[in-house]
Amino acid sequence: MRGANTRSPGRRVLRRRVAAGCAALLLMALTPGPATGSTPSPPAPPAPSAPSGDGTGGLDPRITAIMHKPEYRNARWGLLETDPAAGRVVHSLSPRTFFIPGSTAKLFGVSGTWRTLGADHRFVTPLHAVGERHGSTLTGDLDLVAQGDLTMGGRTRPDGTVAYTDLDHTYANDFPGATLTPENPLAGIDLIARQVRAAGITRVDGDVIVDDRLFLPEPVFDPTPTPLIINDNLIDLLTTPGDRPGAAARLDWRPKVAPYEVTSTVRTVAAGRPSAVTVTATGGGTRIRLSGTIAADARPLLRTAPVTDPAAFGRTALIEALARAGVSVSAPPTGPNPAGRLPRDYRGRPRVAAYTSPPFVQYATLILKVSHNLGANLDMCLLAVTTGSRQCMAGFPVLAGFLDRAGVDREQAELLDGRGGNPADRATPQALVQMLTYWQRTPEAARFREALPVLGVDGLLAENCRDCPARGKVFAKTGAAVGLDALNDRLAVGAITIAGYLDKGGGRYDTFYAGVNGASTPTADPTEVLSIANDLAMIAAYLQEG
């Protein structure tokens, strides 16, 4: 059986990707299970700020049955459920013990940024004319001043909401099934270009420059945010089977910006055969090549390649967009971003265009629904900017102050990024439940709750519990940390976690956390992690029913 799980080239590639680092993502389950007939559990002793129970007594027997599965024999469980309105603890298991949080750590950073910037905060990215205007000609430069906008219009629907898919394209190289939103990744750049033309400029006798001085890249953060982000700093590569086995596969990619070039030698193989597509890049990342096979009956297969220089990429994208809008630029469109030409400030330099983002609550929803790692790390940089600092690490004192005001015991959390993917990250069940309880006391309680994945409905809980009574009644952030155990040829599941709200009816929403650290899969097949993810989703379902 072990050989069968590792023989496929596609599976070997996936094993390497899972082993490459901790995935701050709760994998969507393969087979959602039913949750019926649970018995209400007796409440634990009161005092939600200091729960004391440390056993599984009183838990739904279906939950204890999950905890006693063989894959958890060396694992550690944490669980906490409180009824904030009544001020009581419902269930408690190791509430003050540090656990690897995975992406449940995003609850801290997103909350801090939400409350610091405001749910309705919008990012306005201006374009300034630096030079002399003579009729329709600008002798000088157009400077795009990046403001840390997460999507620059690339996911914005006509109604102003931000689009997402249940498994985001940012995970395409790590997990099968990632898909694209239909929106144009260059929408914000195109809008700015059209505004320049509408302002009466048809020629720029100079250059286009991206001003990315808002903050410095922080290499501790993986992925590393940049002040200008277009399409999550990724090139999307979509491979579709050809008409018959042996035929060349079809390729589409986006956004098409020079000097990036994409070629493919992927061939179509017989239905049922493995699909394995490899991406290699040369030329500083601008020459991308796909190779491998795709089965004739396979769905379109998405892969991504990184944009290696986001500022240079954005500069070229804007020059090309200006050309489409009828504005010529004398400078060559490709090449490095000439940041040395930027002025000290923009006083007296007219703003000729700007892109205004959707409200921050839309970005928070994107980050929480799909576990958007780049966006979560960006939050820390945005918090730093509010202090006037360009160092992303300066965001942590801002977050600490917020957590103090929110009533979260921050000594029960340890963070070195915003996404929950750093090996140093830890959090107790109590700290996470305190964070969730804070929102219940605010006028934005419903808004925050609905920004979380909903069990059986959307985000990273879309495929769990689709037919059980708890469907649509659990709102929760999920998390995972998974790596390869090469010694035993299996996967070491550092953490699978879930934290959020249980709709108990009548307007009551219990806060909860459930997590396991130290589980193992029987083999190195990455799909076996999905059963552990489903176990945590089902524990949440059983808690909701109780």
Short mmCIF file of all heavy atoms in Angstrom, two decimals, residues 105-116 221 376 379-384 386-387 392-410 413-419 425 435:
data_model
loop_
_atom_site.label_atom_id
_atom_site.label_comp_id
_atom_site.label_asym_id
_atom_site.label_seq_id
_atom_site.Cartn_x
_atom_site.Cartn_y
_atom_site.Cartn_z
N ALA A 105 -4.08 31.53 13.57
CA ALA A 105 -3.36 32.73 14.00
C ALA A 105 -3.78 33.96 13.21
O ALA A 105 -3.61 35.09 13.68
CB ALA A 105 -1.85 32.51 13.87
N LYS A 106 -4.31 33.77 12.01
CA LYS A 106 -4.78 34.91 11.23
C LYS A 106 -5.88 35.69 11.94
O LYS A 106 -6.12 36.87 11.64
CB LYS A 106 -5.27 34.44 9.86
CG LYS A 106 -4.18 33.97 8.92
CD LYS A 106 -4.77 33.56 7.57
CE LYS A 106 -3.69 33.24 6.54
NZ LYS A 106 -2.97 32.01 6.78
N LEU A 107 -6.57 35.04 12.87
CA LEU A 107 -7.61 35.75 13.62
C LEU A 107 -7.05 36.95 14.37
O LEU A 107 -7.72 37.97 14.51
CB LEU A 107 -8.29 34.79 14.59
CG LEU A 107 -9.13 33.67 13.97
CD1 LEU A 107 -9.49 32.63 15.02
CD2 LEU A 107 -10.38 34.24 13.31
N PHE A 108 -5.80 36.85 14.84
CA PHE A 108 -5.19 37.96 15.57
C PHE A 108 -4.86 39.12 14.64
O PHE A 108 -5.29 40.26 14.86
CB PHE A 108 -3.91 37.50 16.28
CG PHE A 108 -4.12 36.45 17.33
CD1 PHE A 108 -3.49 35.21 17.22
CD2 PHE A 108 -4.92 36.68 18.43
CE1 PHE A 108 -3.65 34.24 18.20
CE2 PHE A 108 -5.10 35.71 19.42
CZ PHE A 108 -4.46 34.49 19.30
N GLY A 109 -4.09 38.86 13.59
CA GLY A 109 -3.64 39.92 12.71
C GLY A 109 -4.75 40.58 11.94
O GLY A 109 -4.79 41.81 11.80
N VAL A 110 -5.68 39.78 11.42
CA VAL A 110 -6.80 40.37 10.69
C VAL A 110 -7.65 41.23 11.62
O VAL A 110 -8.07 42.33 11.25
CB VAL A 110 -7.65 39.26 10.03
CG1 VAL A 110 -8.95 39.85 9.46
CG2 VAL A 110 -6.87 38.57 8.92
N SER A 111 -7.88 40.74 12.84
CA SER A 111 -8.67 41.52 13.79
C SER A 111 -7.98 42.85 14.10
O SER A 111 -8.62 43.91 14.14
CB SER A 111 -8.87 40.73 15.09
OG SER A 111 -9.64 39.57 14.86
N GLY A 112 -6.67 42.80 14.35
CA GLY A 112 -5.95 44.02 14.68
C GLY A 112 -5.96 45.03 13.55
O GLY A 112 -6.14 46.24 13.77
N THR A 113 -5.79 44.57 12.32
CA THR A 113 -5.80 45.48 11.18
C THR A 113 -7.20 46.03 10.93
O THR A 113 -7.38 47.22 10.63
CB THR A 113 -5.26 44.76 9.93
OG1 THR A 113 -4.03 44.11 10.25
CG2 THR A 113 -5.02 45.74 8.81
N TRP A 114 -8.19 45.17 11.04
CA TRP A 114 -9.59 45.58 10.88
C TRP A 114 -9.92 46.72 11.83
O TRP A 114 -10.46 47.76 11.43
CB TRP A 114 -10.47 44.37 11.15
CG TRP A 114 -11.95 44.53 10.99
CD1 TRP A 114 -12.71 45.61 11.34
CD2 TRP A 114 -12.87 43.56 10.44
NE1 TRP A 114 -14.03 45.37 11.07
CE2 TRP A 114 -14.16 44.13 10.52
CE3 TRP A 114 -12.72 42.27 9.94
CZ2 TRP A 114 -15.30 43.44 10.09
CZ3 TRP A 114 -13.85 41.60 9.52
CH2 TRP A 114 -15.11 42.16 9.58
N ARG A 115 -9.58 46.55 13.11
CA ARG A 115 -9.95 47.56 14.10
C ARG A 115 -9.04 48.78 14.06
O ARG A 115 -9.45 49.87 14.46
CB ARG A 115 -9.93 46.93 15.49
CG ARG A 115 -10.96 45.83 15.66
CD ARG A 115 -12.37 46.31 15.45
NE ARG A 115 -12.90 46.98 16.65
CZ ARG A 115 -14.10 47.57 16.72
NH1 ARG A 115 -14.87 47.60 15.66
NH2 ARG A 115 -14.50 48.11 17.84
N THR A 116 -7.81 48.62 13.56
CA THR A 116 -6.90 49.77 13.47
C THR A 116 -7.22 50.64 12.27
O THR A 116 -7.30 51.87 12.38
CB THR A 116 -5.44 49.28 13.40
OG1 THR A 116 -5.14 48.52 14.58
CG2 THR A 116 -4.48 50.46 13.31
N PHE A 221 8.92 37.07 6.61
CA PHE A 221 7.56 36.75 6.19
C PHE A 221 7.60 35.94 4.90
O PHE A 221 8.23 36.35 3.92
CB PHE A 221 6.74 38.01 5.96
CG PHE A 221 6.44 38.82 7.19
CD1 PHE A 221 5.84 40.06 7.07
CD2 PHE A 221 6.73 38.35 8.45
CE1 PHE A 221 5.54 40.82 8.19
CE2 PHE A 221 6.45 39.10 9.58
CZ PHE A 221 5.86 40.34 9.45
N ALA A 376 -2.41 38.07 4.85
CA ALA A 376 -2.25 38.06 6.30
C ALA A 376 -0.91 38.65 6.71
O ALA A 376 -0.81 39.40 7.70
CB ALA A 376 -2.39 36.64 6.83
N ASP A 379 -0.93 42.42 6.42
CA ASP A 379 -1.56 43.11 7.54
C ASP A 379 -0.53 43.65 8.52
O ASP A 379 -0.67 44.76 9.05
CB ASP A 379 -2.52 42.16 8.27
CG ASP A 379 -3.87 42.04 7.59
OD1 ASP A 379 -4.17 42.89 6.72
OD2 ASP A 379 -4.62 41.12 7.93
N MET A 380 0.51 42.88 8.79
CA MET A 380 1.53 43.33 9.75
C MET A 380 2.27 44.56 9.22
O MET A 380 2.60 45.48 9.97
CB MET A 380 2.51 42.20 10.06
CG MET A 380 1.87 40.94 10.63
SD MET A 380 0.71 41.27 11.99
CE MET A 380 1.77 42.11 13.14
N CYS A 381 2.52 44.58 7.92
CA CYS A 381 3.19 45.74 7.31
C CYS A 381 2.27 46.96 7.35
O CYS A 381 2.73 48.09 7.60
CB CYS A 381 3.59 45.41 5.88
SG CYS A 381 4.73 44.01 5.74
N LEU A 382 0.98 46.76 7.11
CA LEU A 382 0.04 47.88 7.15
C LEU A 382 -0.07 48.44 8.56
O LEU A 382 -0.21 49.66 8.74
CB LEU A 382 -1.33 47.42 6.64
CG LEU A 382 -1.37 46.97 5.17
CD1 LEU A 382 -2.76 46.44 4.82
CD2 LEU A 382 -0.98 48.13 4.24
N LEU A 383 -0.02 47.57 9.57
CA LEU A 383 -0.03 48.06 10.95
C LEU A 383 1.22 48.89 11.23
O LEU A 383 1.16 49.92 11.91
CB LEU A 383 -0.12 46.89 11.92
CG LEU A 383 -1.46 46.15 11.98
CD1 LEU A 383 -1.36 44.95 12.92
CD2 LEU A 383 -2.58 47.08 12.44
N ALA A 384 2.36 48.44 10.70
CA ALA A 384 3.59 49.21 10.89
C ALA A 384 3.49 50.59 10.26
O ALA A 384 3.93 51.59 10.85
CB ALA A 384 4.77 48.44 10.30
N THR A 386 0.99 52.48 9.97
CA THR A 386 0.20 53.40 10.79
C THR A 386 1.04 54.12 11.83
O THR A 386 0.63 55.16 12.35
CB THR A 386 -0.96 52.67 11.50
OG1 THR A 386 -0.44 51.74 12.46
CG2 THR A 386 -1.85 51.94 10.50
N THR A 387 2.22 53.60 12.14
CA THR A 387 3.11 54.26 13.10
C THR A 387 4.14 55.14 12.41
O THR A 387 4.97 55.76 13.08
CB THR A 387 3.86 53.21 13.95
OG1 THR A 387 4.84 52.54 13.14
CG2 THR A 387 2.90 52.19 14.54
N CYS A 392 8.23 46.23 8.68
CA CYS A 392 7.01 45.47 8.95
C CYS A 392 6.96 44.94 10.37
O CYS A 392 5.88 44.78 10.95
CB CYS A 392 6.88 44.32 7.95
SG CYS A 392 6.58 44.86 6.25
N MET A 393 8.12 44.67 10.97
CA MET A 393 8.14 44.17 12.34
C MET A 393 7.55 45.19 13.33
O MET A 393 7.14 44.82 14.43
CB MET A 393 9.56 43.80 12.75
CG MET A 393 10.06 42.51 12.11
SD MET A 393 9.10 41.07 12.63
CE MET A 393 9.86 39.78 11.65
N ALA A 394 7.52 46.46 12.92
CA ALA A 394 6.92 47.48 13.79
C ALA A 394 5.41 47.32 13.90
O ALA A 394 4.77 48.00 14.71
CB ALA A 394 7.26 48.87 13.27
N GLY A 395 4.84 46.40 13.12
CA GLY A 395 3.42 46.14 13.25
C GLY A 395 3.06 45.34 14.49
O GLY A 395 1.93 45.42 14.98
N PHE A 396 4.02 44.59 15.02
CA PHE A 396 3.71 43.74 16.17
C PHE A 396 3.37 44.53 17.43
O PHE A 396 2.44 44.16 18.15
CB PHE A 396 4.83 42.73 16.41
CG PHE A 396 4.86 41.62 15.40
CD1 PHE A 396 5.76 41.64 14.35
CD2 PHE A 396 3.95 40.57 15.47
CE1 PHE A 396 5.77 40.64 13.40
CE2 PHE A 396 3.95 39.56 14.53
CZ PHE A 396 4.86 39.59 13.48
N PRO A 397 4.08 45.63 17.77
CA PRO A 397 3.64 46.42 18.92
C PRO A 397 2.24 46.99 18.75
O PRO A 397 1.49 47.12 19.72
CB PRO A 397 4.70 47.52 19.01
CG PRO A 397 5.91 46.94 18.37
CD PRO A 397 5.40 46.07 17.26
N VAL A 398 1.87 47.33 17.52
CA VAL A 398 0.51 47.82 17.27
C VAL A 398 -0.49 46.71 17.55
O VAL A 398 -1.52 46.93 18.20
CB VAL A 398 0.36 48.34 15.82
CG1 VAL A 398 -1.05 48.89 15.59
CG2 VAL A 398 1.41 49.40 15.52
N LEU A 399 -0.18 45.51 17.07
CA LEU A 399 -1.06 44.37 17.33
C LEU A 399 -1.14 44.08 18.82
O LEU A 399 -2.22 43.79 19.35
CB LEU A 399 -0.57 43.15 16.56
CG LEU A 399 -1.36 41.85 16.75
CD1 LEU A 399 -2.82 42.04 16.35
CD2 LEU A 399 -0.73 40.71 15.96
N ALA A 400 0.00 44.16 19.50
CA ALA A 400 0.01 43.90 20.95
C ALA A 400 -0.91 44.88 21.68
O ALA A 400 -1.67 44.48 22.58
CB ALA A 400 1.44 44.01 21.48
N GLY A 401 -0.85 46.14 21.32
CA GLY A 401 -1.72 47.13 21.96
C GLY A 401 -3.19 46.83 21.72
O GLY A 401 -4.02 46.98 22.63
N PHE A 402 -3.50 46.43 20.50
CA PHE A 402 -4.89 46.07 20.20
C PHE A 402 -5.34 44.88 21.04
O PHE A 402 -6.44 44.88 21.61
CB PHE A 402 -5.07 45.76 18.72
CG PHE A 402 -6.31 44.97 18.43
CD1 PHE A 402 -7.56 45.56 18.49
CD2 PHE A 402 -6.23 43.61 18.14
CE1 PHE A 402 -8.72 44.83 18.25
CE2 PHE A 402 -7.37 42.87 17.90
CZ PHE A 402 -8.62 43.48 17.96
N LEU A 403 -4.51 43.84 21.11
CA LEU A 403 -4.90 42.65 21.88
C LEU A 403 -5.11 43.00 23.35
O LEU A 403 -6.03 42.46 23.99
CB LEU A 403 -3.84 41.56 21.73
CG LEU A 403 -3.67 40.98 20.32
CD1 LEU A 403 -2.53 39.97 20.29
CD2 LEU A 403 -4.96 40.33 19.83
N ASP A 404 -4.29 43.88 23.89
CA ASP A 404 -4.49 44.31 25.28
C ASP A 404 -5.85 44.97 25.45
O ASP A 404 -6.60 44.68 26.40
CB ASP A 404 -3.39 45.28 25.71
CG ASP A 404 -2.03 44.61 25.85
OD1 ASP A 404 -1.99 43.36 25.93
OD2 ASP A 404 -1.02 45.33 25.88
N ARG A 405 -6.19 45.84 24.52
CA ARG A 405 -7.49 46.54 24.61
C ARG A 405 -8.65 45.58 24.39
O ARG A 405 -9.75 45.79 24.92
CB ARG A 405 -7.55 47.68 23.59
CG ARG A 405 -6.56 48.80 23.85
CD ARG A 405 -6.81 49.99 22.92
NE ARG A 405 -6.65 49.66 21.53
CZ ARG A 405 -5.50 49.67 20.87
NH1 ARG A 405 -4.38 49.97 21.51
NH2 ARG A 405 -5.44 49.38 19.58
N ALA A 406 -8.40 44.53 23.61
CA ALA A 406 -9.46 43.58 23.29
C ALA A 406 -9.67 42.55 24.39
O ALA A 406 -10.60 41.73 24.30
CB ALA A 406 -9.14 42.87 21.98
N GLY A 407 -8.83 42.56 25.41
CA GLY A 407 -8.97 41.59 26.49
C GLY A 407 -8.39 40.23 26.18
O GLY A 407 -8.78 39.23 26.78
N VAL A 408 -7.43 40.20 25.25
CA VAL A 408 -6.75 38.94 24.91
C VAL A 408 -5.44 38.89 25.68
O VAL A 408 -4.64 39.83 25.63
CB VAL A 408 -6.48 38.85 23.40
CG1 VAL A 408 -5.70 37.58 23.07
CG2 VAL A 408 -7.78 38.91 22.61
N ASP A 409 -5.22 37.81 26.41
CA ASP A 409 -3.97 37.63 27.13
C ASP A 409 -2.89 37.29 26.11
O ASP A 409 -2.71 36.14 25.74
CB ASP A 409 -4.12 36.50 28.17
CG ASP A 409 -2.84 36.28 28.97
OD1 ASP A 409 -1.85 36.98 28.72
OD2 ASP A 409 -2.85 35.38 29.83
N ARG A 410 -2.16 38.32 25.67
CA ARG A 410 -1.22 38.09 24.57
C ARG A 410 -0.01 37.28 24.97
O ARG A 410 0.76 36.85 24.10
CB ARG A 410 -0.81 39.41 23.92
CG ARG A 410 -0.14 40.42 24.80
CD ARG A 410 0.15 41.67 23.97
NE ARG A 410 0.52 42.80 24.77
CZ ARG A 410 1.77 43.11 25.11
NH1 ARG A 410 2.76 42.32 24.74
NH2 ARG A 410 2.03 44.19 25.83
N ALA A 413 -0.01 33.95 23.34
CA ALA A 413 0.20 33.88 21.89
C ALA A 413 1.64 34.26 21.61
O ALA A 413 2.20 35.14 22.26
CB ALA A 413 -0.75 34.81 21.16
N GLU A 414 2.25 33.57 20.64
CA GLU A 414 3.61 33.87 20.19
C GLU A 414 3.59 33.89 18.67
O GLU A 414 3.23 32.89 18.03
CB GLU A 414 4.59 32.79 20.69
CG GLU A 414 4.68 32.73 22.20
CD GLU A 414 5.57 31.61 22.71
OE1 GLU A 414 5.85 30.65 21.93
OE2 GLU A 414 5.98 31.67 23.88
N LEU A 415 3.94 35.04 18.08
CA LEU A 415 3.80 35.21 16.64
C LEU A 415 5.06 35.83 16.05
O LEU A 415 5.65 36.74 16.63
CB LEU A 415 2.61 36.11 16.31
CG LEU A 415 1.23 35.63 16.75
CD1 LEU A 415 0.18 36.70 16.48
CD2 LEU A 415 0.85 34.33 16.05
N LEU A 416 5.45 35.35 14.88
CA LEU A 416 6.53 35.96 14.12
C LEU A 416 6.11 36.24 12.68
O LEU A 416 6.92 36.52 11.82
CB LEU A 416 7.78 35.07 14.16
CG LEU A 416 9.09 35.70 13.66
CD1 LEU A 416 9.39 37.02 14.35
CD2 LEU A 416 10.25 34.73 13.83
N ASP A 417 4.83 36.14 12.41
CA ASP A 417 4.29 36.54 11.11
C ASP A 417 2.80 36.77 11.28
O ASP A 417 2.27 36.67 12.40
CB ASP A 417 4.58 35.50 10.02
CG ASP A 417 3.92 34.15 10.26
OD1 ASP A 417 3.13 34.03 11.23
OD2 ASP A 417 4.19 33.20 9.49
N GLY A 418 2.13 37.10 10.20
CA GLY A 418 0.69 37.32 10.28
C GLY A 418 -0.13 36.13 9.85
O GLY A 418 -1.32 36.05 10.16
N ARG A 419 0.50 35.17 9.17
CA ARG A 419 -0.26 34.09 8.55
C ARG A 419 -0.37 32.85 9.43
O ARG A 419 -1.20 31.99 9.18
CB ARG A 419 0.39 33.68 7.23
CG ARG A 419 1.83 33.21 7.39
CD ARG A 419 2.39 32.56 6.14
NE ARG A 419 1.98 31.18 6.04
CZ ARG A 419 2.64 30.27 5.32
NH1 ARG A 419 3.73 30.61 4.65
NH2 ARG A 419 2.22 29.03 5.25
N ASP A 425 5.43 30.28 15.78
CA ASP A 425 4.06 30.68 16.13
C ASP A 425 3.40 29.67 17.06
O ASP A 425 3.43 28.46 16.81
CB ASP A 425 3.21 30.83 14.87
CG ASP A 425 3.67 32.00 14.00
OD1 ASP A 425 4.43 32.84 14.51
OD2 ASP A 425 3.26 32.05 12.82
N MET A 435 -10.04 36.15 21.61
CA MET A 435 -10.11 36.99 20.42
C MET A 435 -11.50 36.95 19.80
O MET A 435 -12.08 37.98 19.42
CB MET A 435 -9.07 36.52 19.40
CG MET A 435 -8.93 37.40 18.15
SD MET A 435 -8.11 38.97 18.48
CE MET A 435 -9.51 40.05 18.80
#
